[in-house]
PDB file of all heavy atoms in Angstrom:
ATOM      1  N   SER O 128     -11.153   1.080   8.020  1.00 98.00           N
ATOM      2  CA  SER O 128      -9.990   0.737   8.845  1.00 98.00           C
ATOM      3  C   SER O 128      -8.865   0.020   8.128  1.00 98.00           C
ATOM      4  O   SER O 128      -7.849  -0.281   8.735  1.00 98.00           O
ATOM      5  CB  SER O 128     -10.433  -0.136  10.019  1.00 98.00           C
ATOM      6  OG  SER O 128     -11.482   0.489  10.710  1.00 98.00           O
ATOM      7  N   SER O 129      -9.039  -0.292   6.846  1.00 98.00           N
ATOM      8  CA  SER O 129      -7.977  -1.008   6.131  1.00 98.00           C
ATOM      9  C   SER O 129      -8.116  -0.776   4.634  1.00 98.00           C
ATOM     10  O   SER O 129      -9.123  -0.242   4.153  1.00 98.00           O
ATOM     11  CB  SER O 129      -8.054  -2.504   6.417  1.00 98.00           C
ATOM     12  OG  SER O 129      -9.204  -3.044   5.798  1.00 98.00           O
ATOM     13  N   GLY O 130      -7.115  -1.249   3.924  1.00 98.00           N
ATOM     14  CA  GLY O 130      -7.125  -1.128   2.472  1.00 98.00           C
ATOM     15  C   GLY O 130      -8.211  -1.979   1.836  1.00 98.00           C
ATOM     16  O   GLY O 130      -8.965  -1.506   0.981  1.00 98.00           O
ATOM     17  N   SER O 131      -8.289  -3.230   2.258  1.00 98.00           N
ATOM     18  CA  SER O 131      -9.318  -4.120   1.695  1.00 98.00           C
ATOM     19  C   SER O 131     -10.702  -3.504   1.830  1.00 98.00           C
ATOM     20  O   SER O 131     -11.533  -3.581   0.918  1.00 98.00           O
ATOM     21  CB  SER O 131      -9.339  -5.458   2.434  1.00 98.00           C
ATOM     22  OG  SER O 131      -8.105  -6.099   2.352  1.00 98.00           O
ATOM     23  N   GLU O 132     -10.916  -2.916   2.976  1.00 98.00           N
ATOM     24  CA  GLU O 132     -12.249  -2.383   3.273  1.00 98.00           C
ATOM     25  C   GLU O 132     -12.616  -1.211   2.353  1.00 98.00           C
ATOM     26  O   GLU O 132     -13.772  -1.080   1.947  1.00 98.00           O
ATOM     27  CB  GLU O 132     -12.254  -1.922   4.731  1.00 98.00           C
ATOM     28  CG  GLU O 132     -13.452  -2.350   5.522  1.00 98.00           C
ATOM     29  CD  GLU O 132     -13.447  -1.727   6.900  1.00 98.00           C
ATOM     30  OE1 GLU O 132     -12.371  -1.595   7.515  1.00 98.00           O
ATOM     31  OE2 GLU O 132     -14.532  -1.335   7.349  1.00 98.00           O
ATOM     32  N   ASN O 134     -11.268  -0.735  -0.671  1.00 98.00           N
ATOM     33  CA  ASN O 134     -11.428  -1.281  -2.027  1.00 98.00           C
ATOM     34  C   ASN O 134     -12.791  -1.951  -2.176  1.00 98.00           C
ATOM     35  O   ASN O 134     -13.452  -1.806  -3.201  1.00 98.00           O
ATOM     36  CB  ASN O 134     -10.310  -2.284  -2.336  1.00 98.00           C
ATOM     37  CG  ASN O 134      -9.047  -1.590  -2.836  1.00 98.00           C
ATOM     38  OD1 ASN O 134      -9.090  -0.440  -3.246  1.00 98.00           O
ATOM     39  ND2 ASN O 134      -7.938  -2.300  -2.803  1.00 98.00           N
ATOM     40  N   PHE O 163      -2.995  -6.506  -6.833  1.00 98.00           N
ATOM     41  CA  PHE O 163      -3.389  -6.901  -5.479  1.00 98.00           C
ATOM     42  C   PHE O 163      -4.310  -5.834  -4.914  1.00 98.00           C
ATOM     43  O   PHE O 163      -3.976  -4.646  -4.922  1.00 98.00           O
ATOM     44  CB  PHE O 163      -2.164  -7.057  -4.568  1.00 98.00           C
ATOM     45  CG  PHE O 163      -2.535  -7.520  -3.180  1.00 98.00           C
ATOM     46  CD1 PHE O 163      -2.824  -8.854  -2.932  1.00 98.00           C
ATOM     47  CD2 PHE O 163      -2.639  -6.613  -2.138  1.00 98.00           C
ATOM     48  CE1 PHE O 163      -3.200  -9.284  -1.670  1.00 98.00           C
ATOM     49  CE2 PHE O 163      -3.014  -7.037  -0.861  1.00 98.00           C
ATOM     50  CZ  PHE O 163      -3.293  -8.371  -0.630  1.00 98.00           C
ATOM     51  N   HIS O 164      -5.483  -6.255  -4.441  1.00 98.00           N
ATOM     52  CA  HIS O 164      -6.444  -5.274  -3.930  1.00 98.00           C
ATOM     53  C   HIS O 164      -6.974  -5.615  -2.548  1.00 98.00           C
ATOM     54  O   HIS O 164      -7.880  -4.937  -2.058  1.00 98.00           O
ATOM     55  CB  HIS O 164      -7.589  -5.102  -4.931  1.00 98.00           C
ATOM     56  CG  HIS O 164      -7.110  -4.616  -6.263  1.00 98.00           C
ATOM     57  ND1 HIS O 164      -6.497  -3.396  -6.429  1.00 98.00           N
ATOM     58  CD2 HIS O 164      -7.119  -5.195  -7.488  1.00 98.00           C
ATOM     59  CE1 HIS O 164      -6.156  -3.242  -7.706  1.00 98.00           C
ATOM     60  NE2 HIS O 164      -6.515  -4.318  -8.362  1.00 98.00           N
ATOM     61  N   GLY O 165      -6.431  -6.640  -1.904  1.00 98.00           N
ATOM     62  CA  GLY O 165      -6.855  -6.956  -0.545  1.00 98.00           C
ATOM     63  C   GLY O 165      -7.285  -8.397  -0.405  1.00 98.00           C
ATOM     64  O   GLY O 165      -7.160  -9.186  -1.346  1.00 98.00           O
ATOM     65  N   ARG O 166      -7.789  -8.741   0.786  1.00 97.00           N
ATOM     66  CA  ARG O 166      -8.042 -10.147   1.131  1.00 97.00           C
ATOM     67  C   ARG O 166      -9.495 -10.490   1.416  1.00 97.00           C
ATOM     68  O   ARG O 166      -9.788 -11.624   1.804  1.00 97.00           O
ATOM     69  CB  ARG O 166      -7.210 -10.506   2.363  1.00 97.00           C
ATOM     70  CG  ARG O 166      -5.722 -10.402   2.146  1.00 97.00           C
ATOM     71  CD  ARG O 166      -5.214 -11.399   1.131  1.00 97.00           C
ATOM     72  NE  ARG O 166      -3.780 -11.585   1.309  1.00 97.00           N
ATOM     73  CZ  ARG O 166      -3.156 -12.759   1.244  1.00 97.00           C
ATOM     74  NH1 ARG O 166      -3.838 -13.841   0.964  1.00 97.00           N
ATOM     75  NH2 ARG O 166      -1.869 -12.832   1.426  1.00 97.00           N
ATOM     76  N   GLU O 215      -3.539  -0.377 -10.072  1.00 98.00           N
ATOM     77  CA  GLU O 215      -2.547   0.257  -9.199  1.00 98.00           C
ATOM     78  C   GLU O 215      -1.586   1.046 -10.091  1.00 98.00           C
ATOM     79  O   GLU O 215      -1.009   0.468 -11.004  1.00 98.00           O
ATOM     80  CB  GLU O 215      -1.724  -0.812  -8.454  1.00 98.00           C
ATOM     81  CG  GLU O 215      -2.474  -1.681  -7.490  1.00 98.00           C
ATOM     82  CD  GLU O 215      -1.670  -2.955  -7.186  1.00 98.00           C
ATOM     83  OE1 GLU O 215      -0.710  -2.890  -6.403  1.00 98.00           O
ATOM     84  OE2 GLU O 215      -2.005  -4.006  -7.753  1.00 98.00           O
ATOM     85  N   GLY O 219       2.282  -3.051  -6.549  1.00 98.00           N
ATOM     86  CA  GLY O 219       3.190  -3.242  -5.418  1.00 98.00           C
ATOM     87  C   GLY O 219       3.501  -4.702  -5.175  1.00 98.00           C
ATOM     88  O   GLY O 219       4.594  -5.176  -5.481  1.00 98.00           O
ATOM     89  N   GLU O 220       2.510  -5.430  -4.657  1.00 97.00           N
ATOM     90  CA  GLU O 220       2.714  -6.853  -4.344  1.00 97.00           C
ATOM     91  C   GLU O 220       3.130  -7.635  -5.587  1.00 97.00           C
ATOM     92  O   GLU O 220       3.867  -8.617  -5.495  1.00 97.00           O
ATOM     93  CB  GLU O 220       1.425  -7.460  -3.772  1.00 97.00           C
ATOM     94  CG  GLU O 220       0.878  -6.763  -2.544  1.00 97.00           C
ATOM     95  CD  GLU O 220       1.860  -6.732  -1.396  1.00 97.00           C
ATOM     96  OE1 GLU O 220       2.445  -7.782  -1.093  1.00 97.00           O
ATOM     97  OE2 GLU O 220       2.050  -5.645  -0.818  1.00 97.00           O
ATOM     98  N   ASP O 248      -6.154   2.193  -7.222  1.00 98.00           N
ATOM     99  CA  ASP O 248      -5.816   1.657  -5.905  1.00 98.00           C
ATOM    100  C   ASP O 248      -4.444   2.227  -5.536  1.00 98.00           C
ATOM    101  O   ASP O 248      -3.413   1.768  -6.041  1.00 98.00           O
ATOM    102  CB  ASP O 248      -5.790   0.127  -5.957  1.00 98.00           C
ATOM    103  CG  ASP O 248      -5.398  -0.492  -4.612  1.00 98.00           C
ATOM    104  OD1 ASP O 248      -4.848   0.227  -3.756  1.00 98.00           O
ATOM    105  OD2 ASP O 248      -5.628  -1.700  -4.436  1.00 98.00           O
ATOM    106  N   GLU O 249      -4.471   3.265  -4.699  1.00 98.00           N
ATOM    107  CA  GLU O 249      -3.223   3.920  -4.279  1.00 98.00           C
ATOM    108  C   GLU O 249      -2.897   3.572  -2.820  1.00 98.00           C
ATOM    109  O   GLU O 249      -2.309   4.362  -2.095  1.00 98.00           O
ATOM    110  CB  GLU O 249      -3.342   5.437  -4.466  1.00 98.00           C
ATOM    111  CG  GLU O 249      -3.366   5.851  -5.926  1.00 98.00           C
ATOM    112  CD  GLU O 249      -2.355   6.947  -6.240  1.00 98.00           C
ATOM    113  OE1 GLU O 249      -1.290   6.990  -5.591  1.00 98.00           O
ATOM    114  OE2 GLU O 249      -2.657   7.770  -7.115  1.00 98.00           O
ATOM    115  N   ILE O 250      -3.318   2.383  -2.427  1.00 98.00           N
ATOM    116  CA  ILE O 250      -3.093   1.978  -1.040  1.00 98.00           C
ATOM    117  C   ILE O 250      -1.602   1.880  -0.745  1.00 98.00           C
ATOM    118  O   ILE O 250      -1.160   2.248   0.341  1.00 98.00           O
ATOM    119  CB  ILE O 250      -3.869   0.664  -0.773  1.00 98.00           C
ATOM    120  CG1 ILE O 250      -5.360   0.997  -0.707  1.00 98.00           C
ATOM    121  CG2 ILE O 250      -3.379  -0.021   0.504  1.00 98.00           C
ATOM    122  CD1 ILE O 250      -6.283  -0.186  -0.807  1.00 98.00           C
ATOM    123  N   GLN O 251      -0.832   1.431  -1.733  1.00 98.00           N
ATOM    124  CA  GLN O 251       0.617   1.338  -1.515  1.00 98.00           C
ATOM    125  C   GLN O 251       1.360   2.575  -2.039  1.00 98.00           C
ATOM    126  O   GLN O 251       2.404   2.947  -1.507  1.00 98.00           O
ATOM    127  CB  GLN O 251       1.157   0.064  -2.180  1.00 98.00           C
ATOM    128  CG  GLN O 251       2.573  -0.263  -1.793  1.00 98.00           C
ATOM    129  CD  GLN O 251       2.895  -1.747  -1.804  1.00 98.00           C
ATOM    130  OE1 GLN O 251       4.046  -2.129  -1.817  1.00 98.00           O
ATOM    131  NE2 GLN O 251       1.909  -2.607  -1.778  1.00 98.00           N
ATOM    132  N   ALA O 276      -4.634   3.828   1.989  1.00 98.00           N
ATOM    133  CA  ALA O 276      -4.548   3.217   3.336  1.00 98.00           C
ATOM    134  C   ALA O 276      -3.063   3.211   3.700  1.00 98.00           C
ATOM    135  O   ALA O 276      -2.396   4.222   3.522  1.00 98.00           O
ATOM    136  CB  ALA O 276      -5.168   1.821   3.351  1.00 98.00           C
ATOM    137  N   LYS O 277      -2.539   2.103   4.171  1.00 98.00           N
ATOM    138  CA  LYS O 277      -1.112   1.975   4.499  1.00 98.00           C
ATOM    139  C   LYS O 277      -0.519   3.265   5.082  1.00 98.00           C
ATOM    140  O   LYS O 277      -0.760   3.559   6.243  1.00 98.00           O
ATOM    141  CB  LYS O 277      -0.338   1.452   3.286  1.00 98.00           C
ATOM    142  CG  LYS O 277      -0.712   0.001   2.944  1.00 98.00           C
ATOM    143  CD  LYS O 277       0.377  -0.763   2.225  1.00 98.00           C
ATOM    144  CE  LYS O 277       0.123  -2.253   2.264  1.00 98.00           C
ATOM    145  NZ  LYS O 277      -0.570  -2.782   1.108  1.00 98.00           N
TER     146      LYS O 277
HETATM  147  C1  PLP A  25      -1.853  -3.558   1.028  1.00 67.16           C
HETATM  148  C2  PLP A  25      -2.702  -3.356  -0.157  1.00 67.16           C
HETATM  149  C3  PLP A  25      -4.086  -3.613  -0.123  1.00 67.16           C
HETATM  150  C4  PLP A  25      -4.779  -4.238   1.067  1.00 67.16           C
HETATM  151  O1  PLP A  25      -4.730  -3.431   2.191  1.00 67.16           O
HETATM  152  P1  PLP A  25      -5.086  -4.083   3.634  1.00 67.16           P
HETATM  153  O2  PLP A  25      -4.966  -2.912   4.577  1.00 67.16           O
HETATM  154  O3  PLP A  25      -4.088  -5.153   3.867  1.00 67.16           O
HETATM  155  O4  PLP A  25      -6.448  -4.624   3.554  1.00 67.16           O
HETATM  156  C5  PLP A  25      -4.828  -3.320  -1.256  1.00 67.16           C
HETATM  157  N1  PLP A  25      -4.254  -2.804  -2.344  1.00 67.16           N
HETATM  158  C6  PLP A  25      -2.934  -2.531  -2.413  1.00 67.16           C
HETATM  159  C7  PLP A  25      -2.362  -1.932  -3.660  1.00 67.16           C
HETATM  160  C8  PLP A  25      -2.109  -2.819  -1.334  1.00 67.16           C
HETATM  161  O5  PLP A  25      -0.795  -2.577  -1.421  1.00 67.16           O
END
Side-chain angles (χ1 to χ4, degrees):
S128 307
S129 70
S131 301
E132 226 186 322
N134 276 343
F163 182 79
H164 300 297
R166 298 295 200 139
E215 296 161 77
E220 303 302 313
D248 178 343
E249 290 231 31
I250 287 165
Q251 191 150 163
K277 293 206 164 94

